[in-house]
Amino acid sequence: MADLTAAIRAMARNGIRLRFGGQPDTGVGASRFGGVPDVPAEFVWPVFETATYDDDDVRPRPLAFLAQFNCACLAPLDTDGLLPKEGVLSFFYELGSQRWGFDPADRGCARVFWFPETDALSPASPPEDLPAEYCLPAMGMALAAEASYPGAEDFYAGREDEIGDWEPYWEARAMLGIEDPDNRSCLLGWPDLIQGSFFRECELTDRGLYLGGLCPDLSPEEAQAERDAVQNWQLLFQLDTVEADGFQLMFGDCGRVYFCIRKEDLAARRFDRAWLILQCG
């Protein structure tokens, strides 16, 4: 058990815990959930061509604005120095279809923007065809750094020969005092998994493979990329059910959405290459 707890400690990543509610900071570039994004003058509101659960018509639909984060305020909490130290990170998702991310055709259902110059931003006006229920109410947020640890599937990824009874792993987590809350939204760190490890899904779907059925035959290069996915991909933003002040936003049945990005793309600030996964019970 001592070796197992040491191995878990060694895989710790820094994360930033998010709690939503209360009055938002309305200053330009301030971190907040919902409301309207602060964007540069040339910003074009993202759309995604899709039907929805309520409308079979396939047409371009505006993405909903989820949240924005002031990078300068995040910097003291981002102890691993992964995020930009200036500007604003903004997250969007098409809520009418709530795509899952296992289909290459899902590309564009979610978008991440980094606006480096906060002084050049101003509040955007949502498109007229964005349904009112997808114009999310503005809320404040509390942020705190916390240690984050992998779930069992991510812990054993790449060493499947060690997988047996997972009970010792969860016992070791409990010994370390690692909590597993029912609801957690965060930036960075490890994802809280609902339906198993999904970094391989990010890797293969991003390569154009459809994963909504039987696992496709993989080339040697694809198989190696799948094995390396847990080491090569990084959680960027995990958004759980948001419930505050009489408002609720839920993904599927008590699910979560996860914005993920390759570490090399994060380092190069290629946020347009982020990929979204939805999981629910």
Side-chain angles (χ1 to χ4, degrees), residues 257-272:
V257 291
Y258 311 84
F259 289 80
C260 307
I261 190 168
R262 285 190 182 90
K263 292 178 180 178
E264 63 183 19
D265 290 327
L266 176 56
R269 309 312 188 211
R270 295 189 291 254
F271 291 102
D272 60 307

Side-chain angles (χ1 to χ4, degrees), residues 6 16 23 76 109 130 134 160 175 182 213 230 238 244:
I16 302 174
Q23 291 298 312
C109 74
L130 179 64
Y134 302 150
E160 285 77 4
M175 290 176 59
D182 293 333
V230 169
Q238 171 179 300

Side-chain angles (χ1 to χ4, degrees), residues 117-192:
E117 299 180 8
T118 306
D119 291 344
L121 306 182
S122 60
S125 297
E128 293 183 359
D129 56 342
L130 179 64
E133 64 266 33
Y134 302 150
C135 295
L136 308 181
M139 296 182 189
M141 63 173 72
L143 304 92
E146 66 175 9
S148 176
Y149 299 88
E153 297 93 333
D154 284 336
F155 178 79
Y156 285 110
R159 42 182 171 182
E160 285 77 4
D161 56 315
E162 298 180 23
I163 296 179
D165 180 8
W166 284 1
E167 191 62 29
Y169 174 80
W170 295 108
E171 291 177 1
R173 281 175 63 101
M175 290 176 59
L176 290 169
I178 301 171
E179 64 172 28
D180 296 295
D182 293 333
N183 186 299
R184 174 160 41 200
S185 295
C186 62
L187 295 164
L188 306 175
W190 288 96
D192 296 296

Side-chain angles (χ1 to χ4, degrees), residues 20 33 66 185 237-242 249 251 255-257:
F20 305 113
F33 172 89
L66 298 179
S185 295
F237 178 32
Q238 171 179 300
L239 185 59
D240 211 320
T241 298
V242 178
L249 173 64
F251 303 100
R256 301 181 179 112
V257 291

